[in-house]
Amino acid sequence: MVFTVDRELQSLPPEIAAKLSHLLKNLPSDAREPIVNHHFISKSFFEALGFLSNECIPDFKTGNGGDAVDYALRKNTEDDSFLHTKTSPYILVELKGRDINLEYGKGSYKTTVRQLKRYFLAPKCKSVQWGIITNSKHIQLFRKHGKTIFPATPCLEINPDNIVEITYQIRKKIEDTSRALTVAVYNNKGGVGKTTTVINLAATLTRQKKKVLVIDFDPNQHDLTDSLDIQPGEYKFYNCLKDKQNLFDIKQAICPYTKTFKGGITLSFDIIPVDDQLAKIGEDQIRQEISPHSLRKKLESLKYEYDYILIDAPPNWRYYSISAIYAADVVLIPIKPNDINSLRNTAITIQQYIPEIQQSRQEKTQGLEWGAIALPIFFNGGNITDAVKVRVKNAIAKIINQAKLENNFDLTSYFFSRYIPGKNTSIFEMPNSAYIANSAFDSIPASYRYKVAYDYYSQLAKEYFIQ
Amino acid sequence: MSNLSDVGNLMYLDLEIIESDIVPNTSEYLINATAQELSSTDGRNWIPLIVKEVAEDSYQVIGNNFIYSVAEAAGLEKVWCIIADNSETTAKLSRMLAREEVPRINLSTASTEDIKSALEYLIEQPNTPLKTIDILKATNRIDEAPRQYWQDLNPIINLKCGITRGKKVKALEKVFYLTPEAMPDEIKDPKVLNTLTTTELKKLAKKRGRSGYSKLTKAKLVNLLSQ
């Protein structure tokens, strides 16, 4: 559902801003949930976010057992009143009292986030795009794109002095919802099948009627460009990246990849191929002309054009991969299960590299954006026997323990997507397939050519992206 | 519940007045060894039997039959029981909670994750005929098939995902049931039409007032009706 957006809004209307700040100031320091709700959230906060009272449904049933989220919000349209139809919610809000500590990393914070994620994936919440958790002392905004959930802001501390600005910033984000999810496919070890994953995911998502852009951002290998036999056009991606004055339109660097099937059906996705110029220029010179945030800025103009932007990042931690992850919302990490080193490298990526990027994104956005997060890993190919599985699980357990002891970093959810203490340690496995391996020479994505390959990648897409 | 009802209470009942008609599928060894452990302690079954009252002072086990067998083997005279209500849904749920019955999910509406985990469960069972099934392939093909219209599980055979006629498709009945939707008469999706038999397609053609369909093959019928 698309809503008309008042893009002219420069700040909250003064009377609404004054009320918001005043009500927050008057909340008792031990206010429990009903007080926070009655005297602040429903009285003023929703109004400040741009929602009328008949656009907010309390105790919204999510359709998952008896689950109900504190509030669901959605703008009314001419012939559809949210209060009456109770369909297509747009934002979910999970409220707490001030007795529940929502400071980032605390136990009660984690429980609340888990609760919100459960609501997000419930049957009646498919249309939801955003989620908010708050106890009137902290607030955090989450984005939901299909099945993918990631923090859109850090967990922010709020007080009567900053509430107006923070509410305004949140409102700006929810009124400007990006169509695209930007995914970097990365592992700092080579040969784990990154390029194959990108190509086949793109092809599979296209078969499911999604509009996809693929960026080959590995100039030293340009496997992706080669394997689909793409001839870059006149227009140079290098020129576009180094242009800081917005003189070049990135759309000119895009080449379509189209496949026509028997029966006349055509499927196509777009590619930004490698610019050979980039491979010739040394990294030192690149860094003189292009910033790590340049790619992200250039992609801004495409975020309403595509459903997915997939970036094939090179295996190292230098300019190209740093830019790719800086530009991404989420990072997808394929792993070869029989390679313990790639597991260790992944742990380093998740607890060291990605947080560096997050820190930099937070600094550059005055603490308003969280930066890319890693999705849970998946095993890419390699027929895994039960014996190997046990060894891998033990190795992962060791890595998780070490990270907890040495860095106080909890890696569990990055390895086990469905983790329940003591029980579910399953990891998504992409089976070995001769079809997929051999089609590297075909210049056609395996998931266009072989039904089995499509089935596999379709399951991968549903694991991470499609709800 | 009123004060006159025992439902919900923990009661210490004579084994004599409780009957259990399901013979639990458990090894003698587990029953006897557990019974020995129980007799060598204070003989109290800390995990209770779940029973319902069938008549005054007459009860029937609806969950935890294993404990009944153990109590019997240990020669207990009385056992601790929780009294449940008499409904069939309670009995069914109790059997599921005690893991004596496998719960089934509605394949007409199940999510792709639920289908995948149900297939994984089946494959992990000993002696399953589904050992060689490719989970991702089977899950995806079932997920993307027009299963909301399926009257039974047989269309799965045509998905070419390794689940063949006979005991393989039969094995799926253990975890799946269907609540089929009526197929709208105006349906044009060839994927859906292909799941119908030639006779059904001809009936549909007649309903839509087509002519000249009586000698067509299935492929041509699908083609005609998808226009």
Side-chain angles (χ1 to χ4, degrees), chain A residues 28-44:
Chain A
S29 61
D30 60 349
R32 288 177 178 259
E33 187 180 325
I35 305 278
V36 172
N37 181 11
H38 187 77
H39 293 280
F40 175 59
I41 297 295
S42 60
K43 206 164 225 169
S44 167

Side-chain angles (χ1 to χ4, degrees), chain B residues 86-147:
Chain B
N86 275 317
S87 72
E88 186 41 43
T89 50
T90 303
K92 193 173 167 190
L93 179 65
S94 301
R95 287 196 298 274
M96 287 175 190
L97 287 172
R99 304 192 56 174
E100 290 164 0
E101 183 179 320
V102 179
R104 298 196 300 163
I105 57 170
N106 185 350
L107 189 61
S108 307
T109 56
S111 70
T112 187
E113 266 163 63
D114 289 343
I115 297 172
K116 188 176 169 201
S117 63
L119 290 177
E120 276 168 348
Y121 167 78
L122 285 178
I123 287 171
E124 281 161 15
Q125 298 308 302
N127 303 325
T128 172
L130 299 168
K131 198 88 229 168
T132 54
I133 298 302
D134 180 333
I135 293 228
L136 293 189
K137 186 163 105 179
T139 306
N140 204 58
R141 292 195 183 171
I142 293 173
D143 183 33
E144 293 184 3
R147 53 195 157 92

Side-chain angles (χ1 to χ4, degrees), chain A residues 152-172:
Chain A
T153 68
C155 184
L156 302 162
E157 219 181 315
I158 47 179
N159 55 51
D161 297 325
N162 70 9
I163 183 69
V164 173
E165 178 60 18
I166 287 178
T167 308
Y168 169 63
Q169 293 297 345
I170 289 177
R171 179 167 173 174
K172 251 184 29 184

